[in-house]
Amino acid sequence: SSDLRPTAISMIVVGLFPSSLAMIWKGPFDAQMLGVSMVFLGVLMIRFVAKQYDQLVDSLLLAEENRRLAHTDALTGLANRRATMVAIDEAIATERHFGIALIDLDGFKLVNDMLGHHVGDHLLCEVADRLRGATVAGDHVGRLGGDEFIALFHDVDGEADCSVRANTLLTALCRSVEIDGQRLKFGASLGFAV
C-alpha cells in the first residue's frame, strides 16, 4: 500500500523524536548524549524503512511483470496457451454453459514466405486486435501459437448464441488489411463447440 512508508516513518518520528529532543534540551549531559544517539538511530531507521519499502514495491512490480509475461503472448499481447488452458479449466469447473472457438488463419505460411516474417507478425497483431474487438466483454481470447487462436465465450445461451459469437469473429477477420502499403486479403477457418 502507498500508505505503508509514511505510516512507518510517522511511527518512528512520533515514537522516538519527542523524547529524544526533550532529553537533548533538558537533560543532563548523559541524557543529552543518549538523546543525540536516539535521533541518529531514528534517522537511520527512517532511511532503512524507506529503502525496504522501495525494495518491496520493486519486488512486487517485478513479480507482477513476471506473472504477466508468463501468461501473455509476447507478440500479440493476447493470453498465451498456458493462460488459456487455465481459463478453460476454470470454465469447466465453474460454468454450466460456455463455448470455445478455434481459429486458424488460411494461407498464413504463404504470407510469411512471400512477404517476410515482419509482415506476418504485423498480420498476427492485426488479427489479435480484431479478435479483441469482436468479443463480448469478459470473453477470453488467446493465441495458441503460430497462426492458431482461441476464444472462450462465457455465459453462452446455447449453440445458436455460440454460433453468432463465432461468426462475429470470422466476419471481423475476413476484412482485408494494409501492411507496408500492400493490401492483403486473408481468411480464417473456425470451428466452435458449446
Side-chain angles (χ1 to χ4, degrees), residues 2-188:
S2 61
D3 296 337
L4 184 61
R5 177 167 50 182
T7 301
I9 291 172
S10 297
M11 289 176 62
I12 294 170
V13 170
V14 170
L16 193 61
F17 287 162
S19 57
S20 300
L21 294 175
M23 293 168 78
I24 292 170
W25 286 328
K26 296 186 178 183
F29 180 75
D30 289 347
Q32 289 176 337
M33 290 298 104
L34 182 58
V36 168
S37 297
M38 288 172 63
V39 167
F40 182 70
L41 178 64
V43 169
L44 289 177
M45 288 173 65
I46 289 170
R47 290 186 64 198
F48 176 77
V49 166
K51 185 173 182 178
Q52 291 297 343
Y53 176 83
D54 290 342
Q55 287 178 346
L56 175 64
V57 168
D58 289 346
S59 176
L60 291 173
L61 291 173
L62 183 60
E64 176 59 25
E65 178 67 7
N66 286 338
R67 188 206 62 74
R68 187 188 66 75
L69 290 173
H71 294 90
T72 304
D73 177 63
L75 177 64
T76 63
L78 293 176
N80 64 13
R81 178 185 294 268
R82 176 185 301 153
T84 299
M85 293 304 125
V86 168
I88 291 171
D89 287 343
E90 288 174 0
I92 290 169
T94 61
E95 296 183 40
R96 286 190 59 204
H97 302 288
F98 64 92
I100 295 177
L102 294 174
I103 303 124
D104 187 69
L105 301 184
D106 297 335
F108 179 72
K109 184 177 181 334
L110 192 60
V111 171
N112 266 346
D113 291 346
M114 292 183 65
L115 302 174
H117 288 279
H118 74 285
V119 173
D121 288 350
H122 190 93
L123 180 59
L124 291 173
C125 291
E126 178 67 25
V127 167
D129 289 343
R130 290 181 183 189
L131 290 174
R132 273 190 211 97
T135 51
V136 175
D139 284 349
H140 177 98
V141 181
R143 179 177 176 215
L144 296 177
D147 62 343
E148 297 174 349
F149 295 84
I150 187 168
L152 173 63
F153 305 127
H154 297 287
D155 301 319
V156 171
D157 188 20
E159 190 172 324
D161 181 33
C162 191
S163 178
V164 167
R165 293 196 207 183
N167 282 319
T168 301
L169 296 181
L170 203 52
T171 300
L173 294 179
C174 289
R175 296 188 322 264
S176 62
V177 61
E178 186 171 322
I179 302 174
D180 290 346
Q182 297 184 56
R183 184 153 296 281
L184 300 175
K185 293 193 85 166
F186 68 97

